[in-house]
Amino acid sequence: MELTLWTYEGPPHVGAMRVATSVEGVHYALHAPQGDTYADLLFTMIERRKQRPSVTFTTFQARDLGGDTAELAKATIRDVVERFEPRVLLVGESCTAELIQDVPGALAEGMGLPVPVVALDLPAYSKKENWGAAETFLRLVRTLLSPLAPAPGEERPPRPEGRRPRANLLGPSSLGFRCRDDVVEVRRLLESIGVEVGVVAPEGATPEDLLRIPEADVNVCLYPEVAHSTCAWLRRTFRQPTVETVPIGVGATRDFLHEVARLTGVEVGDAASPERARLPWYSRSVDSTYLTGKRVFVFGDATHAMAAARVATEELGFRVVGLGTYSREFAREVRACAERLGVEALVTDDYLEVEAQVAELRPELVLGTQMERHVAKRLGIPCAVISAPVHVQDFPARHSPQMGFEGANVLFDTWIHPLTMGLEEHLLAMFREDFEFHDEAPASHLAAEAGAAAAGAPAPAAAPDAVPEPAVAWEGDAERELKKIPFFVRGKARRNTERFAEERGVRTITLETLYDAKAHFGR
């Protein structure tokens, strides 16, 4: 474990909390010291849930370490069962409590409780949040469904006559990125080809719903970081096929529909024609073609990062210059995706490594997490958030999916709006000599009144400290030419030119130096 200021994922017990909070009727008894109880604020403050998460902490303190903390854990477990009457009880420990080695899951299994107990052994010092969520979901499903598993070699029963094909949506969970809205869109997609949705889990499910998972014809692995291992177990045990395609982007949505149709025996028909998706037309429009070739850096969880890379290259005409993920469990898939794009994948959970690569590559757009949003802001680069971890603003009140044809529209708006469009730049260039567009122009028409009001004010005192001399100087002609560049990219042009000059030992930037730098960076 590495001490860091920011982290892409919390410890695995936070992943277990996400599953416990997602499934109604499940409660999580967490053996943890007082300082580890902060995690439930993620759900009420970040996700803006109306209820506190279904988690109870033992909250032992330093003075309790001299006594029997195992008995404290058992007392808390009994209290949870009596007070909340859960239909399934999860029992685990936080990263700090793991050091005490009380093993609360084993204690709970030996207490003769009147509810099913799922003991969670989540190694906090080698695994992280998404792995914890995936392992908790798998153990919960296995505990409930193992008694229903068919004998080895037994054929899967055919679909009842007259019943429509059915698919489960597995993986959406609390604190997931746009899960609520994605489920709405994917349900609409499936219904458009005559496939009904069986169970959505873990988010919004009950233990009784989980018992119905084997009734479906296929399982859709919507979020592999949470559901991949569960879908693999269901495929081995109940011989349920898995839909692997994640429908993010127009092309992936079409592929998703055809994969579902192939596995369920239905016809896609006109459903794969993206009448509701405006992205294809918008990305071919005159203004959007200006964005063709824009250099993009992509980083996030594996699912969203790979999907974003495909949409960026195949549907918007961007050029991916960097691709990475913090999801080490899917590093192989991300590296293969990066190789197809001709870049080297960055697999890390250190945001400083990501920041260093963004600073080196200097892309024109960053698609990442809330961490990359901060990084891009410091570097003056436009950014759009595509993946957790996210801030409260990325749980919007409006319908804002990432999946399906409507999700493709959201992607177009979210990614394009931070960039300056071609017509906008054209107008800025056309009127750059206009009195309202030059560098000394006021910010608004009211600035003239504000300037008159301030005319009588005393002049501010001079700063006591002298401004340090810049590393390179600019000749007047070069400075005037620089001001002809639109203001929103002028800072980048200045930085690139100064870096170009410093690397070549040029102390004074002339008009010729500026043109040489432009030719160098425009290759």
Side-chain angles (χ1 to χ4, degrees):
M1 179 172 284
E2 182 178 343
L3 186 62
T4 183
L5 179 64
W6 288 344
T7 179
Y8 289 99
E9 297 181 84
H13 73 264
V14 174
M17 291 176 67
R18 289 170 52 190
V19 174
T21 302
S22 299
V23 183
E24 181 185 344
V26 170
H27 203 92
Y28 186 22
L30 182 59
H31 195 34
Q34 193 168 16
D36 280 358
T37 59
Y38 70 91
D40 61 355
L41 297 177
L42 295 171
F43 301 88
T44 54
M45 294 181 65
I46 302 299
E47 194 176 20
R48 296 190 281 201
R49 284 194 172 239
K50 293 184 288 185
Q51 303 88 13
R52 297 291 292 269
S54 52
V55 180
T56 298
F57 303 88
T58 58
T59 58
F60 59 83
Q61 303 178 46
R63 64 172 179 266
D64 297 317
L65 297 177
D68 193 346
T69 53
E71 282 301 319
L72 178 62
K74 292 169 70 174
T76 301
I77 292 168
R78 290 193 193 94
D79 181 64
V80 166
V81 174
E82 293 175 5
R83 180 182 176 187
F84 297 102
E85 299 181 349
R87 302 202 283 282
V88 179
L89 179 67
L90 305 179
V91 182
E93 55 198 343
S94 72
C95 46
T96 311
E98 184 180 327
L99 301 173
I100 304 174
Q101 298 182 348
D102 284 332
V103 197
L107 293 174
E109 288 178 325
M111 290 172 62
L113 298 172
V115 296
V117 174
V118 180
L120 300 177
D121 180 18
L122 307 177
Y125 297 95
S126 59
K127 299 294 184 180
K128 294 203 170 184
E129 178 182 332
N130 279 338
W131 183 90
E135 184 69 9
T136 302
F137 186 39
L138 172 61
R139 295 197 183 193
L140 178 60
V141 169
R142 287 180 61 173
T143 299
L144 295 176
L145 291 182
S146 288
L148 305 179
E154 183 179 336
E155 291 293 328
R156 177 172 172 79
R159 181 192 313 153
E161 189 174 350
R163 197 203 74 189
R164 288 198 301 165
R166 184 177 298 170
N168 298 319
L169 306 183
L170 303 184
S173 67
S174 59
L175 282 180
F177 186 61
R178 307 289 171 85
C179 289
R180 174 198 65 191
D181 299 337
D182 284 347
V183 168
V184 173
E185 287 303 311
V186 175
R187 185 187 295 271
R188 184 181 299 170
L189 283 174
L190 293 174
E191 290 176 350
S192 71
I193 60 173
V195 176
E196 65 182 35
V197 174
V199 176
V200 179
E203 181 63 36
T206 65
E208 292 74 23
D209 290 332
L210 299 182
L211 292 173
R212 297 190 293 107
I213 287 178
E215 298 174 7
D217 300 287
V218 296
N219 293 313
V220 176
C221 189
L222 270 192
Y223 302 95
E225 283 80 4
V226 175
H228 182 268
S229 54
T230 299
C231 288
W233 182 79
L234 290 167
R235 184 167 56 245
R236 293 191 307 268
T237 306
F238 291 92
R239 287 173 283 285
Q240 284 180 295
T242 302
V243 177
E244 305 280 357
T245 304
V246 179
I248 298 179
V250 174
T253 299
R254 288 169 171 163
D255 294 345
F256 169 81
L257 289 172
H258 285 293
E259 185 177 0
V260 172
R262 176 174 58 80
L263 293 175
T264 58
V266 301
E267 294 292 333
V268 173
D270 296 333
S273 177
E275 294 180 357
R276 291 189 299 108
R278 300 180 181 90
L279 182 149
W281 186 87
Y282 282 171
S283 63
R284 292 193 300 268
S285 64
V286 173
D287 208 45
S288 292
T289 55
Y290 167 75
L291 303 172
T292 301
K294 288 286 187 184
R295 302 169 69 255
V296 180
F297 178 86
V298 183
F299 191 90
D301 67 40
T303 298
H304 288 92
M306 290 189 293
R310 176 177 177 179
V311 173
T313 54
E314 297 181 9
E315 300 176 27
L316 291 175
F318 293 156
R319 181 161 69 92
V320 175
V321 296
L323 173 63
T325 184
Y326 57 83
S327 303
R328 294 186 180 275
E329 293 82 8
F330 296 89
R332 181 179 300 175
E333 291 84 349
V334 174
R335 288 194 176 102
C337 179
E339 186 177 355
R340 290 193 296 271
L341 295 170
V343 298
E344 184 176 350
L346 176 64
V347 180
T348 182
D349 56 7
D350 185 347
Y351 69 93
L352 293 176
E353 289 186 36
V354 181
E355 180 172 5
Q357 186 160 107
V358 173
E360 178 186 353
L361 293 172
R362 280 287 172 178
E364 293 158 285
L365 176 66
V366 173
L367 303 176
T369 73
Q370 69 164 335
M371 251 85 92
E372 283 66 54
R373 177 198 283 136
H374 294 307
V375 167
K377 185 175 182 180
R378 284 200 300 274
L379 297 174
I381 302 172
C383 179
V385 174
I386 62 164
S387 162
V390 293
H391 194 262
V392 61
Q393 70 193 61
D394 295 304
F395 288 96
R398 69 187 184 280
H399 183 63
S400 186
Q402 302 289 283
M403 296 185 182
F405 295 128
E406 184 60 29
N409 296 336
V410 173
L411 292 182
F412 180 87
D413 289 342
T414 307
W415 298 5
I416 297 304
H417 287 175
L419 296 168
T420 301
M421 305 292 280
L423 179 60
E424 182 179 357
E425 180 166 349
H426 174 69
L427 291 174
L428 287 170
M430 181 184 297
F431 295 105
R432 65 173 174 243
E433 303 300 333
D434 190 277
F435 73 95
E436 291 187 356
F437 280 82
H438 62 73
D439 283 352
E440 287 74 29
S444 76
H445 295 289
L446 300 178
E449 298 178 15
D465 298 327
V467 178
E469 287 292 327
V472 294
W474 285 74
E475 280 193 351
D477 289 345
E479 190 78 49
R480 284 189 289 275
E481 186 69 16
L482 179 69
K483 289 183 178 180
K484 295 180 181 179
I485 299 174
F487 67 89
F488 45 84
V489 292
R490 190 179 304 149
K492 181 178 179 181
R494 177 184 288 275
R495 289 192 299 271
N496 284 348
T497 305
E498 290 176 350
R499 185 174 65 179
F500 177 85
E502 289 175 5
E503 289 174 352
R504 287 155 180 78
V506 176
R507 302 296 299 171
T508 302
I509 296 176
T510 65
L511 202 56
E512 183 179 0
T513 309
L514 179 61
Y515 290 150
D516 288 344
K518 180 180 179 182
H520 173 77
F521 289 105
R523 288 181 304 189

